[in-house]
Amino acid sequence: DANILEHHEGADKALAQLIKLKQETRKAGRDEKEKVELSNRLRCLTLLEAIFNSSKRTSLLPNQIVLMTILPLLRSRTELSKSLASGGDISKKGLSKEKKSMLDKLTSLLQNKISKSHLDGNANIDACQVVAEQILVELGRVQEAEHCKCCSSLLVLLVKAISKQKDEIV
């Protein structure tokens, strides 16, 4: 019976440790990837803030461009808010701080910059309606005061965006 393998007790422990090490390495890799992605997104937000800070933003950003930025930013804010609310592990404290920083920047950008954009009042009514409907969907996804303020400010912006066309609305 030379073909029979013997079971060694230490092999089970070693295999369990190897599996645990591989899982921890994979998790650390995911965390690092998420950290790099958050860092890149923070840099992009800084660029967006600069664009929306421009005193000539109406000439730089037509209504349609402003409308196109609303939903991706609001959805990103929604996901971050949900992620932070769900908690997560204690080992991700640094990541949570970066997420909180990004959430604060997104909130500021949406409330203080985008929702105060000077639109010309001639935005496409259909586009505004679609964006408004999606904002209402996002409003229902997170029950948080800051999130509600963002959504409300953006809805007011949409009303202003079509204000010159009020006579055409039936």
Side-chain angles (χ1 to χ4, degrees):
D1 289 323
N3 294 334
I4 296 178
L5 295 175
E6 282 189 36
H7 179 73
H8 189 270
E9 288 181 27
D12 290 341
K13 274 187 179 181
L15 183 59
Q17 286 177 340
L18 183 63
I19 290 170
K20 185 177 179 181
L21 180 64
K22 191 170 185 172
Q23 288 172 340
E24 288 172 359
T25 304
R26 195 176 300 140
K27 185 177 177 185
R30 277 194 309 259
D31 290 351
E32 185 59 33
K33 183 179 178 183
E34 189 174 3
K35 199 171 192 173
V36 167
E37 183 182 318
L38 275 172
S39 178
N40 290 338
R41 289 170 68 190
L42 275 168
R43 281 195 294 279
C44 289
L45 276 179
T46 303
L47 292 172
L48 279 172
E49 284 177 329
I51 291 170
F52 279 97
N53 266 341
S54 171
S55 59
K56 299 177 185 176
R57 76 174 147 232
T58 52
S59 62
L60 283 175
L61 300 171
N63 289 346
Q64 219 43 37
I65 300 296
V66 174
L67 293 176
M68 288 172 53
T69 61
I70 292 172
L71 290 177
L73 292 172
L74 186 58
R75 286 180 178 140
S76 185
R77 191 201 180 287
T78 300
E79 292 305 315
L80 277 170
S81 183
K82 286 174 109 178
S83 173
L84 286 168
S86 71
D89 19 333
I90 299 164
S91 66
K92 290 188 175 185
K93 246 184 191 171
L95 204 53
S96 292
K97 286 180 184 178
E98 287 186 25
K99 283 183 179 182
K100 179 70 174 127
S101 172
M102 183 160 174
L103 183 67
D104 292 343
K105 270 193 173 215
L106 275 169
T107 302
S108 174
L109 179 63
L110 288 167
Q111 283 185 335
N112 303 325
K113 305 283 190 270
I114 294 176
S115 66
K116 295 183 180 172
S117 293
H118 300 289
L119 301 178
D120 63 16
N122 289 315
N124 180 303
I125 293 174
D126 293 333
C128 288
Q129 183 178 357
V130 168
V131 173
E133 288 170 0
Q134 291 303 308
I135 289 173
L136 291 173
V137 168
E138 293 302 312
L139 180 62
R141 291 184 68 200
V142 177
Q143 301 302 317
E144 173 194 62
E146 286 297 313
H147 189 70
C148 292
K149 284 182 192 177
C150 278
C151 292
S152 297
S153 300
L154 293 169
L155 288 170
V156 169
L157 172 71
L158 294 175
V159 170
K160 289 179 185 176
I162 58 171
S163 63
K164 287 186 182 175
Q165 299 176 21
K166 64 183 174 221
D167 299 331
E168 297 175 24
I169 299 174
V170 179

